[in-house]
Amino acid sequence: MLDKKVLITGIAGFAGSHLAELLLEKGGYEIYGLCRPRSKTDHIEAIKNKLHLEDADLLDSHSLYTTVARIKPDYIFHLAAQSFVPTSWVSPSVTLEVNIIGSANLFEAVRQVGIDPVIQIACSSEEYGLVHPDEIPIKETNPLRPQSPYAVSKVAMDYLGYQYFCSYNMRIIRTRGFNHTGPRRGETFVTSNFAKQVALIERGKQEAVIKVGNLDAERDWTDVRDMVRGYLLAVEKCDPGEEYNVCSGRAVKIRDMLDMLLSYSKVKVDIREDASRMRPSDVPILIGENKKFVDKTGWKPEIPFEKTMEDLLNYWRERV
Ligand code: GDD
């Protein structure tokens, strides 16, 4: 049987690199990845020679069209995005442009080439935004009350996916990923940021003070390796046009996540609130219900959060 052709947008990123590794491990896939010219490729350095990297940009509809036309993928995983929530307050237009216009360009490229791939789009639990206590755990039917330009951009991408399914019968599957972390998580995100600070303090490269933002928020974390396994199951088993929460169903307070990290280390630290890490509006709690996705795919998270955080700390210990 011929290998399935897979196109991953954001292949050099956090989730993209883990997904590429998973597909290589499974075998039977010819993997193409969009990678903007000059973007960093450290995460895929070890597997680069087994991938086809394509110099194309989501915001350049011409390069996107010619790339999609040449590859004619069977599966597309749309993971590229401006994904850091605070950046979206600093640069709202860039966030909206990359996440919304970039997605529209991708859908249009597929439509105009006239192919019929299954397309997974990485939507986000941030779309739910402000969630009331009686709405926990959050179901896919919950109202969306986005709290940041980033969240608005993901709502728009999510609904664009729905609209392209309705208008053109495109096989778009909307996974609403809750927080995910693990090795290679960007250092601005809270789990990675705190793990890196602990590693720096252990090495004597930072004073024994951990800078923090809002420690009262709660997030539902899944290991990135479980998350990308979910993305693959999504294209294989889910229904086009539908949205699915991908989450563990269990929340951890940011403060408890920090305590967990510190329990893996011998350092004694002070914790200091850093005003610049506070957001104009933060989502207080996200706990998802994953029943719809689990019933459809049989997926379940396998890597315990404790192991994820230990792996992340070790990742930083090797790099600071
Ligand atoms: N980044 C950061 N840095 N966050 C902090 C800090 C800090 O020093 N201290 C506390 N926090 C809190 C944030 O206020 C937020 O409530 C929580 O930690 C998680 O922050 P992030 O790790 O930056 O992730 P996020 O929840 O805003 O967004 C992530 O998850 C979404 C899915 O829910 C990103 O991965 C998004 O791209 C993704 O869509």
Side-chain angles (χ1 to χ4, degrees):
M1 219 171 65
L2 278 180
D3 284 358
K4 276 209 174 350
K5 287 187 177 181
V6 170
L7 176 63
I8 304 175
T9 73
I11 195 166
F14 171 55
S17 62
H18 282 284
L19 177 62
E21 272 174 11
L22 174 74
L23 297 175
L24 285 174
E25 200 180 293
K26 288 199 166 275
Y29 300 97
E30 195 175 335
I31 307 168
Y32 296 80
L34 290 195
C35 197
R36 277 173 310 172
R38 293 182 305 281
S39 67
K40 282 174 66 179
T41 53
D42 328 3
H43 294 343
I44 48 171
E45 214 49 56
I47 53 171
K48 225 169 160 180
N49 59 353
K50 300 187 184 117
L51 310 172
H52 305 275
L53 295 185
E54 302 286 338
D55 270 355
D57 192 310
L58 285 176
L59 293 181
D60 182 324
S61 44
H62 178 73
S63 64
L64 203 53
Y65 174 87
T66 50
T67 306
V68 169
R70 181 166 32 80
I71 301 170
K72 297 194 174 55
D74 301 294
Y75 291 158
I76 298 179
F77 296 92
H78 180 33
L79 309 181
Q82 192 304 95
S83 63
F84 188 46
V85 174
T87 298
S88 76
W89 277 288
V90 182
S91 310
S93 313
V94 171
T95 305
L96 299 172
E97 196 177 13
V98 172
N99 296 0
I100 307 173
I101 308 299
S103 304
N105 286 345
L106 178 66
F107 299 157
E108 273 304 307
V110 169
R111 186 176 79 80
Q112 289 176 25
V113 171
I115 51 174
D116 186 27
V118 182
I119 307 174
Q120 172 263 348
I121 60 173
C123 305
S124 166
S125 54
E126 273 289 300
E127 293 172 44
Y128 296 116
L130 187 67
V131 175
H132 302 310
D134 62 345
E135 295 171 331
I136 301 254
I138 308 162
K139 295 188 181 60
E140 287 81 354
T141 48
N142 212 73
L144 306 179
R145 305 182 192 101
Q147 298 289 298
S148 64
Y150 167 80
V152 171
S153 77
K154 285 289 170 172
V155 170
M157 181 187 80
D158 189 323
Y159 282 157
L160 258 183
Y162 174 70
Q163 176 256 310
Y164 270 74
F165 164 75
C166 295
S167 304
Y168 306 115
N169 216 8
M170 274 168 59
R171 294 190 285 165
I172 296 171
I173 290 150
R174 299 174 283 149
T175 52
R176 291 188 181 154
F178 283 58
N179 291 56
H180 40 294
T181 189
R184 303 189 199 134
R185 170 89 281 195
E187 63 181 277
T188 52
F189 297 87
V190 72
T191 45
S192 224
N193 188 278
F194 289 0
K196 186 179 180 189
Q197 291 192 62
V198 172
L200 283 168
I201 294 168
E202 286 178 342
R203 280 285 170 90
K205 291 187 172 176
Q206 173 173 322
E207 62 167 332
V209 174
I210 306 245
K211 293 190 191 132
V212 301
N214 173 18
L215 293 184
D216 292 322
E218 293 178 56
R219 290 292 184 273
D220 176 335
W221 272 291
T222 295
D223 191 286
V224 64
R225 294 158 285 194
D226 282 330
M227 185 59 78
V228 298
R229 202 165 39 76
Y231 292 166
L232 179 57
L233 285 167
V235 296
E236 288 170 347
K237 304 204 163 167
C238 286
D239 293 329
E242 288 294 309
E243 71 289 80
Y244 299 88
N245 287 343
V246 189
C247 55
S248 74
R250 191 177 59 101
V252 178
K253 240 192 199 1
I254 307 298
R255 187 185 309 278
D256 296 335
M257 180 275 291
L258 174 56
D259 286 345
M260 184 186 291
L261 273 175
L262 291 171
S263 76
Y264 299 144
S265 178
K266 293 197 174 69
V267 292
K268 294 279 165 277
V269 300
D270 284 333
I271 292 167
R272 190 176 301 156
E273 203 170 280
D274 172 359
S276 71
R277 290 169 185 251
M278 294 298 183
R279 303 176 179 192
S281 48
D282 199 8
V283 172
I285 181 164
L286 289 175
I287 308 177
E289 185 186 285
N290 60 19
K291 186 174 183 319
K292 183 175 173 186
F293 188 62
V294 169
D295 286 352
K296 200 76 203 172
T297 62
W299 176 86
K300 67 172 177 15
E302 284 168 3
I303 305 175
F305 188 54
E306 292 73 11
K307 159 107 174 90
T308 305
M309 293 308 296
E310 219 177 334
D311 289 353
L312 182 57
L313 181 56
N314 288 332
Y315 171 82
W316 282 115
R317 280 175 174 148
E318 285 161 20
R319 279 164 183 80
V320 294

